[in-house]
């Protein structure tokens, strides 16, 4: 089934630890995004990639890094997790500027 | 700054009609999206408006007025499964999506 796969589904992480959230899509979409969703706030863009080999910073990039080695994969890394990074993280992809986003099922991350 | 405003929560009765409003102030406009998000799940695409007017898709319709910075999502013949959050998002002049915090819709029998 075509779509976006995120892993893990949920994770409890000690502060200071390094963590990579995985995201893979099989729709051959050029654009991919990482969002965090916190209660009472809209989805906030962390990083994005318009095409393989390029990445850009979103609204809240500090403490996060991404890479886009190929079209399908877009991992998000927390180099040294802090409690304020406790959130639900969604990966998404789209065909182009006026196309809707397709979302993965999310990763619920708790940093203690 | 850029801002999307939606009511935090609405309640409606099964079988009725509900209108969820969204007002926006963004740097430019390149389209408005509505998404549905059930609790604990991912957002799913409902509708897209780039020109003024009404777009109808089954029980759901979305309206846009660019001059007023205003959109609404109209849900007809409400069903219990429509209980969800509804997210409004606007593409700005840089084609970045600006998201509202969402409207939680509660359907009562």
């Amino acid at each position: 089934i075509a779509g976006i796969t995120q892993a893990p589904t949920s994770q409890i992480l000690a502060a200071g630890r390094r963590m990579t959230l995985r995201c893979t899509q099989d729709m051959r979409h050029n654009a991919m995004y990482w969002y965090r969703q916190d209660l009472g706030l809209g989805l906030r863009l962390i990083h994005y990639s318009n095409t393989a080999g390029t990445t850009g910073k979103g609204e809240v990039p500090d403490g996060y890094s991404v890479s886009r080695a190929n079209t399908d994969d877009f991992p998000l890394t927390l180099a040294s997790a802090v409690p304020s990074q406790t959130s639900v993280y969604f990966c998404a992809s789209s065909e182009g500027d006026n196309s809707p986003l397709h979302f993965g099922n999310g990763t619920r991350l708790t940093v203690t | 700054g850029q801002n999307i405003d939606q009511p935090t929560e609405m309640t409606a009765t099964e079988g009725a009609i509900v209108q969820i409003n969204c007002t926006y102030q963004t740097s430019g406009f390149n389209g408005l999206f509505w998404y549905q998000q059930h609790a604990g799940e991912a957002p799913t695409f409902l509708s897209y408006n780039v020109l003024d007017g009404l777009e109808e898709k089954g029980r759901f319709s979305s309206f846009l007025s660019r001059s007023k910075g205003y959109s609404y999502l109209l849900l007809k013949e409400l069903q219990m499964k429509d209980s969800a959050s509804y997210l409004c998002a606007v593409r700005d002049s840089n084609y970045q999506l600006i998201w509202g915090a969402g409207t939680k819709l509660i359907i009562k029998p």
Side-chain angles (χ1 to χ4, degrees), chain B residues 21 34 55 59 64:
Chain B
N21 296 325
W34 283 97
E55 294 281 342
R59 294 189 299 114
L64 174 66

Side-chain angles (χ1 to χ4, degrees), chain A residues 37-38 40-43, chain B residues 4-7 85-88 99-103:
Chain A
Q37 188 174 41
D38 302 289
L41 299 176
L43 287 161
Chain B
I4 308 284
D5 285 318
Q6 309 177 231
S85 289
Y86 291 86
L87 314 180
C88 174
W99 293 84
T103 298

Side-chain angles (χ1 to χ4, degrees), chain A residues 37 42 45 97-99 101 104, chain B residues 35 37 42 48 91 95-96 100:
Chain A
Q37 188 174 41
L45 183 65
D97 286 338
N98 293 327
S99 301
L101 267 61
Chain B
Y35 284 79
Q37 185 177 23
Y48 172 66
R91 276 203 193 280
Y95 286 89
Q96 295 298 321

